[in-house]
Amino acid sequence: MPRVTFQLTLPPGTPPGTLFLTGDHRAWSDDPAGWTFRDGVLHAELPDGLLAQVKVRRVNPDGTTTEEGDPWGGRARAHRVVVRGDTTVPLTVPGWQDGHAGTARPTRSAPPREETVLDAPWGEQPVRLWWPEGHGGPLPLLILHDGQNVFDEAPTFAGDSWDAGGAAQALADAGYPIRIAALPVNEERNRRYVPFPIELNAFGSGADEYADWLKGTLLPHLHGRFGPVTAEDTALAGSSFGGLITAYAGLRDPGTYGTLGVFSPAVWPADFAFLRWMAGRGDPHSRVWVDMGDHEGSSVQAAQDVITLARDLTAQLAPHVRETRFTVGEGHWHDEPAWKERLPAFLRWWRTGPV
């Protein structure tokens, strides 16, 4: 197997402790055995073609473990590693997590114009709203899942956002204004987004409850406040499990959403139960965008297999919907920067047709 050398650069003031490497290639283990840095260097033998996301962790003198973070004490995006023969991988640690969840992160992207709260069966549901300046009436509506990740960076999972406001502003500047309603989710994400009982949702899916709320509470509220919007001008979109619930809700409730943005759909739960569930389902009035990055897997081959799966899913849908579009993000991993890059093309396709 290829020999991979990791070279570590630490931020000033790093506390004492044992530094080690973890990642998805070792199931994010907290055990430093065999993966400890010596004088800032770690040598490892890894499979050729491996696609790995890795982070540095520190075992403190009191036995606790601290993970690397961003410069403001929040979670940081993982380092990306592609193994192609012997290689050296520089790892620069920007900071260490300190429990503040990155609340001091500077904002690079446009925040929502307004945040409100609606009642839901699971409690209060925040709704983050954005619209272009000077457009107060009815506008085509985009509903986004994982609303904590789509606007400004401070509340995001790892400091990266979709910059949905920036993408929508560019669309408005081209003559196609839209309104965005983004729905943050908490630790119940797996229950809310996965339509099938699995260990991650404690074998109790809340996806139907969520889809019912979207159709029966969120849409009527937005129509009542801003004016009615036709199903044709209503889009639902999300990534990963957010892509899964997008496809599920759209096919479950035909005639509700004119466009579905299914980004990097995670369809593996319950032994790919979604693929069996969707057989024969469709919406003759709906357009469906499906995409996948070419680095969304544990290896180069696994990533190609995921692309094939997503392409086949699109082909299965094609006879049962108005239109489909499948695209592959070159060099894209399963993360916010990739979805940020693909969002503008989806928005243009939704509002203007082929891109």
Side-chain angles (χ1 to χ4, degrees), residues 174-350:
Y176 301 95
I178 65 170
R179 190 181 315 280
I180 300 175
L183 306 171
V185 71
N186 55 22
E187 65 276 0
E188 286 199 340
R189 183 176 189 267
N190 297 325
R191 194 184 78 83
R192 200 89 47 84
Y193 291 176
V194 180
F196 311 100
I198 58 172
E199 186 175 356
L200 287 174
N201 58 27
F203 300 99
S205 172
D208 284 306
E209 179 183 66
Y210 181 62
D212 287 343
W213 181 86
L214 293 175
K215 182 177 180 179
T217 299
L218 178 67
L219 284 174
H221 169 81
L222 295 174
H223 293 171
R225 179 174 173 190
F226 298 108
V229 179
T230 65
E232 182 179 3
D233 284 337
T234 302
L236 185 67
S239 62
S240 192
F241 280 168
L244 175 60
I245 188 60
T246 294
Y248 180 80
L251 296 176
R252 194 200 76 147
D253 296 320
T256 303
Y257 310 102
T259 298
L260 304 176
V262 184
F263 291 72
S264 302
V267 298
W268 54 264
D271 192 25
F272 299 91
F274 175 77
L275 300 182
R276 298 187 294 275
W277 175 89
M278 66 171 275
R281 295 179 185 267
D283 182 345
H285 304 293
S286 181
R287 305 166 72 226
V288 184
W289 166 289
V290 182
D291 68 20
M292 190 66 69
D294 63 2
H295 282 52
E296 298 194 46
S298 59
S299 67
V300 171
Q301 182 57 56
Q304 289 303 310
D305 292 343
V306 171
I307 288 174
T308 298
L309 181 67
R311 182 181 285 112
D312 290 347
L313 182 157
T314 310
Q316 286 182 22
L317 276 176
H320 305 287
V321 298
R322 175 183 164 194
E323 180 184 354
T324 59
R325 170 68 182 267
F326 178 72
T327 186
V328 175
E330 185 176 350
H332 288 194
W333 296 72
H334 194 80
D335 58 14
E336 272 66 36
W339 301 320
K340 171 184 177 179
E341 189 168 334
R342 300 204 294 269
L343 178 62
F346 165 72
L347 294 181
R348 292 195 303 273
W349 179 80
W350 170 36

Side-chain angles (χ1 to χ4, degrees), residues 133-185:
E133 191 75 35
H135 293 272
L139 290 172
L141 174 65
L142 170 63
I143 301 169
L144 287 176
H145 309 295
D146 283 308
Q148 72 281 359
N149 291 331
V150 302
F151 292 121
D152 47 323
E153 285 71 26
T156 61
F157 177 71
D160 294 302
S161 85
W162 292 40
D163 188 19
Q169 185 61 58
L171 192 71
D173 292 344
Y176 301 95
I178 65 170
R179 190 181 315 280
I180 300 175
L183 306 171
V185 71

